[in-house]
Amino acid sequence: MGRRCWPRRLLVAACLGAGLLLLCCARRALRSAFENKDLGSSWLSGRRRSPLQALYDLDQGPRSPLAEVHRQRRDQLRRACSRHTLRQRLLQPEDLRHVLVDDTHGLLYCYVPKVACTNWKRVLLALSGRARGDPRAIPAHEAHAPGRLPSLADFSRAEINWRLRAYLAFLFVREPFERLASAYRNKFTRPYNAAFHRRYGTRIVRRLRPHARPEALARGHDVRFAEFLAYLLDPRTRREEPFNEHWERAHALCHPCRLRYDVVGKFETLAEDAAFVLGLAGAPGLRFPAPPRSRVAAARDQAARLFRDISPFYQRRLFDLYKMDFLLFNYSAPAYLRLN
């Protein structure tokens, strides 16, 4: 009888030992977090609610119309992920390069280029104390400087997991074709982006323009929208290297079916959604520098004009390429597309 009990006792002892080891590790991790001056914020010490707790409290009581909109977006994203994603690989730390960290306020922000990410970086610099004064006064090159804001990929796996559990995670998205048209206009039609022209424009002209002039081959300064789209659809493009972040799909940058996002903001309701996030972060007095609605409407009209000259065949192929962003973030195909 005593011999038969030995395996059970050994199992219990092993479980207790593992439990004690986990408890020690957790206590050590928590102690190092509190000793870290970057994490010494008032929400972490319990003097005020964390943004994640503030969102939870909002969800428990009568919701404002805006809080209800964000609850519906979260639910819609979860449903779309379960419906449209089957097998997914495990994320590596490098996959989290676009997730920026504000330890002072307990925020994780996944930035998507051409969705007000410059202004969000400015706001995070101001929030975290890395820059002073009006966020609008922070130069764009400073907001985008490498290392200016820490990335989640810079931390250890244990530190990553702790932040993913404790922080409020948010991202902002935009109607995919409008974002694509904005990327083209900014990167290929502005003279100040000469370095971008040389890197990508020359490649596009060389591959897709027969009998190109020597100047276009050397400078890549006059890429046409149709050429840009053909480059995206060319299988060689992604075989050679990943898409540039300015036209990479939002779901491929932020992995919304692998990470929990508490707030899904949209470019179309930028001012309201930004104010919602800043209110949760305990900074309702900080005004987000959103563009006027007239500029947003003008960008939509410019996208429509660009895509009207694209054949239905290429429109359908491009829609298939960006289809997951349409599905996950609940965007309808723009009325100007001819997909049937």
Side-chain angles (χ1 to χ4, degrees), residues 79-329:
R79 288 194 302 270
C81 285
S82 63
R83 191 178 303 125
H84 299 294
T85 58
L86 299 174
R87 186 180 300 172
Q88 299 186 75
R89 65 180 179 82
L90 290 175
L91 292 181
Q92 301 301 315
E94 192 55 35
D95 294 319
L96 307 175
R97 182 60 57 192
H98 272 244
V99 181
L100 304 179
V101 180
D102 177 3
D103 281 324
T104 306
H105 294 83
L107 297 173
L108 298 176
Y109 162 57
C110 184
Y111 71 92
V112 178
K114 308 314 299 174
V115 192
C117 75
T118 302
N119 282 338
W120 264 116
K121 289 178 180 181
R122 287 170 168 145
V123 166
L124 289 179
L125 285 172
L127 270 178
S128 61
R130 290 178 169 85
R132 302 291 178 188
D134 188 341
R136 290 172 295 186
I138 301 172
H141 68 85
E142 186 177 332
H144 290 297
R148 200 75 171 85
L149 288 162
S151 164
L152 196 56
D154 298 332
F155 296 91
S156 69
R157 289 179 184 269
E159 291 170 325
I160 289 171
N161 288 330
W162 183 80
R163 285 168 173 81
L164 287 173
R165 287 194 302 271
Y167 288 15
L168 180 105
F170 69 99
L171 79 163
F172 274 71
V173 294
R174 185 176 186 177
E175 191 273 293
F177 279 17
E178 187 182 319
R179 176 176 168 246
L180 201 56
S182 177
Y184 167 75
R185 290 197 316 273
N186 180 256
K187 296 303 175 186
F188 292 104
T189 68
R190 302 288 191 268
Y192 53 75
N193 273 323
F196 215 93
H197 300 165
R198 285 192 296 272
R199 178 172 180 183
Y200 292 101
T202 55
R203 188 180 307 172
I204 292 171
V205 171
R206 188 166 56 248
R207 184 188 298 178
L208 297 167
R209 190 182 302 175
H211 315 297
R213 290 179 293 115
E215 183 185 16
L217 289 168
R219 295 175 57 196
H221 64 297
D222 60 351
V223 170
R224 300 159 192 150
F225 188 57
E227 292 173 331
F228 170 60
L229 299 184
Y231 168 75
L232 297 183
L233 293 169
D234 188 335
R236 291 172 292 180
T237 299
R238 279 186 290 169
R239 279 203 302 264
E240 291 173 359
E241 62 178 354
F243 271 174
N244 179 274
E245 63 179 8
H246 291 86
W247 47 81
E248 179 60 282
R249 287 75 50 88
H251 76 272
L253 295 174
C254 295
H255 313 286
C257 295
R258 301 294 295 163
L259 303 178
R260 181 208 77 229
Y261 283 98
D262 307 294
V263 177
V264 178
K266 294 198 170 186
F267 187 78
E268 295 77 12
T269 50
L270 179 59
E272 301 92 326
D273 294 344
F276 183 72
V277 172
L278 293 173
L280 294 173
L286 183 58
R287 186 173 178 180
F288 187 85
R293 289 189 181 275
S294 58
R295 270 183 57 193
V296 176
R300 190 176 305 121
D301 292 342
Q302 288 169 341
R305 283 196 296 273
L306 285 170
F307 275 101
R308 281 195 192 106
D309 295 331
I310 304 303
S311 72
F313 173 75
Y314 275 104
Q315 287 183 3
R316 282 193 297 273
R317 288 187 60 198
L318 202 67
F319 183 82
D320 288 341
L321 181 60
Y322 287 86
K323 187 175 183 177
M324 193 60 72
D325 278 359
F326 281 97
L327 292 172
L328 294 180
F329 303 117

